[in-house]
Amino acid sequence: MKKKFIFLFCILFVLLTNSSANAQVLCKKSAQLMGGRFEISIVAQDSITAQKSIDDIIAEISRIEYLISDWITTTQISQVNQNAGIQPVKVDTEVFELTKRALHFSKVTDGAFDISFAAMDRIWKFDESMTEMPSPEAIQKSVEKVGYQKIVLDSVNSTVFLKEKGMKIGFGALGEGYATHKCREMMLAKGIQSGLINATGDISSWGTQPNGEPWKVGITNPFKKQKIVKIVGLTNGAITTSGSYEKFVIFNGKRYSHIINPKTGYPATGLCSVTIIGPNAETANSLSTSAMVLGKEKALPFLKNYPQYDFYIITDKGKSIQSKNFKTYILKK
């Protein structure tokens, strides 16, 4: 079991409304969950309610982790992987539907996004240890077990079957986006009207900060990581960013991202950063990851199929491209 590191602080705000004082508490915690850092902010009438809400969120994320994580051997997804080429595995409806949605994006992107990416050999190294590109033969071999077409879903029996031994499915950051969205819905159902959950860059928000302002999220400059290119305001929605600026290698003047095209085995090139804003963090993550792999020419027409989601793209050459409505989210620095 992963050790969960949790840090908490609460701030008391007093809002004056119609000459009466209404106290609101903003509580924050950070925790290591699902292999990444989650930062949780909750606004409530008192610190006990806020802390209880954060604890409920952490419990819910942990529950999801122990259903879908492919690195924990006892999860339903790990059992699906362990039975690849052997037999179908019955899973909970929640897991089945998440797999079904991920498979949908695998199909509409023609494998640029592929839920079976988990079977890829990790031949690319982004820790400065790689001095030359892998051979074409090694790259081709690395994706031999990848192929969403070999995943069989049985909705009647709620089973998932991988046709070939050695195949694996995994959700990666998509699972984190799903978890933040699920927790947002849970909090709204419990009457918590404002909060933000940041899962290493996959963010779900609702309501406003105690001062009435929207939640503020910065988009990193991929060429100067200590700087912000845009600040956007969120009230009820999600934002995700996929980018090559954290982990990449350069060979012969060309940047190769840590985001690998599961169809070819080669890293994504052409785009440095793709930010998506929309109603659901799970879908936003699918779109940002897919766009990074598809590249500029294919990503733009692809993203236009999802009018509820706006985008801000930065190319390897530093050019920015944004959807028509993205400007409505931009705040002054």
Side-chain angles (χ1 to χ4, degrees):
M1 181 184 296
K2 295 184 180 67
K3 187 176 181 180
K4 296 176 174 61
F5 299 95
I6 300 174
F7 306 89
L8 166 69
F9 68 89
C10 298
I11 303 172
L12 177 67
F13 291 83
V14 177
L15 302 182
L16 298 178
T17 306
N18 296 327
S19 299
S20 63
N22 296 309
Q24 283 193 314
V25 172
L26 169 63
C27 283
K28 297 183 179 183
K29 273 188 181 180
S30 61
Q32 195 74 15
L33 300 159
M34 300 182 78
R37 182 182 176 89
F38 278 68
E39 296 177 348
I40 305 163
S41 302
I42 291 293
V43 178
Q45 294 301 313
D46 57 79
S47 61
I48 293 176
T49 300
Q51 291 177 44
K52 174 63 166 60
S53 298
I54 291 175
D55 290 341
D56 289 345
I57 288 172
I58 291 174
E60 176 67 359
I61 295 169
S62 295
R63 182 192 69 81
I64 293 170
E65 181 176 15
Y66 278 84
L67 278 178
I68 69 171
S69 294
D70 59 304
W71 59 83
I72 299 174
T73 59
T74 56
T75 67
Q76 293 184 14
I77 289 302
S78 287
Q79 291 180 30
V80 168
N81 294 341
Q82 291 161 17
N83 283 277
I86 301 173
Q87 62 184 1
V89 173
K90 187 175 180 62
V91 298
D92 292 356
T93 300
E94 179 181 8
V95 176
F96 185 88
E97 292 300 322
L98 179 60
T99 306
K100 184 178 177 180
R101 293 193 297 272
L103 187 58
H104 165 76
F105 270 101
S106 302
K107 292 176 180 177
V108 298
T109 61
D110 190 29
F113 177 98
D114 196 319
I115 186 179
S116 65
F117 78 96
M120 281 194 296
D121 293 333
R122 304 297 192 261
I123 60 173
W124 293 87
K125 308 295 182 184
F126 299 94
D127 57 2
E128 299 183 354
S129 65
M130 191 165 63
T131 58
E132 61 182 8
M133 286 183 63
S135 69
E137 294 77 18
I139 293 172
Q140 184 177 4
K141 186 178 185 300
S142 72
V143 293
E144 281 183 351
K145 299 298 182 180
V146 177
Y148 68 89
Q149 304 91 337
K150 301 170 187 175
I151 301 172
V152 180
L153 302 184
D154 183 342
S155 58
V156 175
N157 296 303
S158 191
T159 60
V160 181
F161 179 50
L162 311 182
K163 287 184 177 181
E164 292 186 5
K165 285 188 176 182
M167 286 188 68
K168 295 179 182 179
I169 59 174
F171 296 104
L174 179 71
E176 295 174 352
Y178 168 70
T180 67
H181 181 76
K182 186 85 170 174
C183 289
R184 180 179 73 175
E185 297 301 299
M186 179 180 72
M187 287 293 101
L188 286 170
K190 289 177 177 287
I192 301 300
Q193 297 300 313
S194 183
L196 181 144
I197 307 170
N198 180 357
T200 59
D202 286 358
I203 298 172
S204 287
S205 72
W206 65 103
T208 63
Q209 297 185 68
N211 60 7
E213 294 184 1
W215 298 100
K216 297 178 181 179
V217 179
I219 300 175
T220 299
N221 183 332
F223 302 101
K224 297 179 180 179
K225 290 186 290 183
Q226 70 278 14
K227 294 186 178 295
I228 300 296
V229 291
K230 300 289 182 184
I231 297 175
V232 300
L234 293 177
T235 51
N236 293 290
I239 181 170
T240 68
T241 296
S242 297
S244 65
Y245 49 90
E246 292 290 351
K247 297 179 182 179
F248 63 90
V249 292
I250 297 177
F251 292 123
N252 299 321
K254 189 173 184 179
R255 177 196 296 253
Y256 293 89
S257 164
H258 75 286
I259 299 175
I260 309 295
N261 185 333
K263 191 174 181 179
T264 66
Y266 283 86
T269 60
L271 302 180
C272 272
S273 173
V274 177
T275 297
I276 303 290
I277 296 180
N280 186 312
E282 176 194 330
T283 301
N285 180 274
S286 300
L287 295 176
S288 62
T289 303
S290 298
M292 278 292 297
V293 173
L294 287 169
K296 175 185 170 183
E297 299 305 321
K298 292 183 179 180
L300 293 178
F302 169 70
L303 292 174
K304 288 179 180 178
N305 293 323
Y306 300 87
Q308 286 185 293
Y309 292 82
D310 288 288
F311 60 83
Y312 184 82
I313 294 172
I314 302 175
T315 70
D316 280 353
K317 296 182 179 179
K319 181 181 179 181
S320 62
I321 308 163
Q322 66 184 49
S323 58
K324 181 180 178 181
N325 292 327
F326 191 88
K327 62 184 179 182
T328 62
Y329 295 97
I330 298 175
L331 303 176
K332 292 183 179 179
K333 293 184 182 181

